Amino acid sequence: MCFHRFYETWLHQLHSLHHQLTSAPKPRTQEDELHLSHLVDKSMTHYYDYYRVKSSASKHNILSILTPTWTTPLERSLQWVAGWRPTTVFHLIYTESSVRFEAQIMDILRGRRTGDLGDLSPSQLGGVSELQCETVREENEITEELSEWQVNVEDLISVCPDMEGKIQRLVKVVEKADDLRLKTIQRVVEILTPQQAVEFLIAAAELQFGVRGWGLDQDRRSRSM
């Protein structure tokens, strides 16, 4: 329950950060650029705090982290190793970039730079693509490690009641997954400009809010039936 309370507070603070990000003006001066960089750093610190506390909670009770009662069934159905898939980040970037590019294609063709996610440079696109390949590989490795853990646990249960070593190994698998999630966000933010990073962080928060809101709505409908 302790992590549950932390999560609710953390999510409330994410709403506040989302408001700050959406309220920030597009950079016209160096001061504006510094303000956006500050908001990006503030958002990343918020994510760091989440995974720091989650790591501590995992060591205390990994099973509650794997089956969190404070999330909706919809949220849990979309989870990969106790959280979101790191490769979701790339689907989000490509979707946001395509939508923005199509909306301002005439300006871009006329050589007017928008500076947003619809205006990614070739080097940025190359960096995102390279990071995506690396993330897919690491994601697959963690999936295989979790599958091996599940097979070994089935064998262990039939011959030995001591699960402590296996539980500790599961904690490490979840920590690897969380490290990859955080690393992926951080490296994407490093590739983007402050303005683009703000837009990416807004989209990431809205995706999280949207999935949770949809899940809560489904729960309410199920209880009323």
Side-chain angles (χ1 to χ4, degrees):
M1 290 300 293
C2 185
F3 186 75
H4 181 187
R5 289 194 295 270
F6 165 78
Y7 178 73
E8 292 296 334
T9 300
W10 184 89
L11 197 61
H12 177 74
Q13 292 171 341
L14 184 62
H15 277 280
S16 177
L17 273 172
H18 174 263
H19 176 71
Q20 294 175 51
L21 291 167
T22 55
S23 301
K26 290 186 178 180
R28 292 184 175 83
T29 65
Q30 186 176 9
E31 186 177 348
D32 291 338
E33 195 86 9
L34 290 172
H35 178 60
L36 292 185
S37 295
H38 170 71
L39 288 177
V40 171
D41 291 343
K42 190 175 179 180
S43 298
M44 290 308 304
T45 297
H46 193 55
Y47 283 110
Y48 288 133
D49 287 343
Y50 174 79
Y51 287 110
R52 175 180 55 79
V53 176
K54 184 182 176 184
S55 176
S56 177
S58 296
K59 292 181 175 68
H60 179 69
N61 188 346
I62 186 60
L63 298 182
S64 70
I65 297 298
L66 283 168
T67 55
T69 57
W70 52 88
T71 59
T72 64
L74 175 63
E75 289 173 289
R76 291 194 291 274
S77 73
L78 298 174
Q79 284 193 341
W80 170 85
V81 196
W84 49 272
R85 278 188 174 274
T87 46
T88 303
V89 164
F90 304 101
H91 298 300
L92 191 61
I93 289 177
Y94 292 138
T95 298
E96 287 293 311
S97 179
S98 296
V99 169
R100 291 173 184 272
F101 178 81
E102 291 174 5
Q104 56 209 16
I105 186 170
M106 295 308 298
D107 286 338
I108 294 175
L109 290 176
R110 292 184 182 121
R112 298 175 187 166
R113 304 304 301 271
T114 60
D116 59 18
L117 281 175
D119 192 20
L120 295 174
S121 69
S123 62
Q124 285 179 313
L125 288 170
V128 170
S129 179
E130 183 178 340
L131 179 59
Q132 181 179 16
C133 292
E134 181 181 327
T135 304
V136 167
R137 187 187 72 252
E138 293 187 51
E139 196 177 272
N140 289 339
E141 289 173 356
I142 293 171
T143 298
E144 290 177 8
E145 190 170 349
L146 180 61
S147 297
E148 290 175 5
W149 181 88
Q150 291 170 329
V151 170
N152 291 337
V153 164
E154 290 175 1
D155 295 339
L156 182 63
I157 290 174
S158 62
V159 298
C160 177
D162 182 16
M163 291 288 292
E164 184 60 30
K166 293 298 179 183
I167 292 296
Q168 292 306 312
R169 184 179 172 191
L170 179 58
V171 170
K172 292 188 179 299
V173 172
V174 172
E175 286 182 341
K176 282 185 180 180
D178 284 342
D179 287 345
L180 182 58
R181 281 183 267 265
L182 187 56
K183 181 178 73 172
T184 302
I185 296 176
Q186 180 62 60
R187 292 186 61 184
V188 163
V189 164
E190 290 171 356
I191 290 172
L192 304 176
T193 66
Q195 179 185 346
Q196 293 166 343
V198 164
E199 292 168 352
F200 161 69
L201 291 168
I202 289 171
E206 289 178 348
L207 177 61
Q208 185 169 358
F209 299 153
V211 171
R212 182 161 181 78
W214 190 15
L216 291 171
D217 185 57
Q218 286 187 325
D219 286 355
R220 284 192 292 268
R221 291 183 181 183
S222 297
R223 287 196 295 269
S224 64
M225 293 178 65

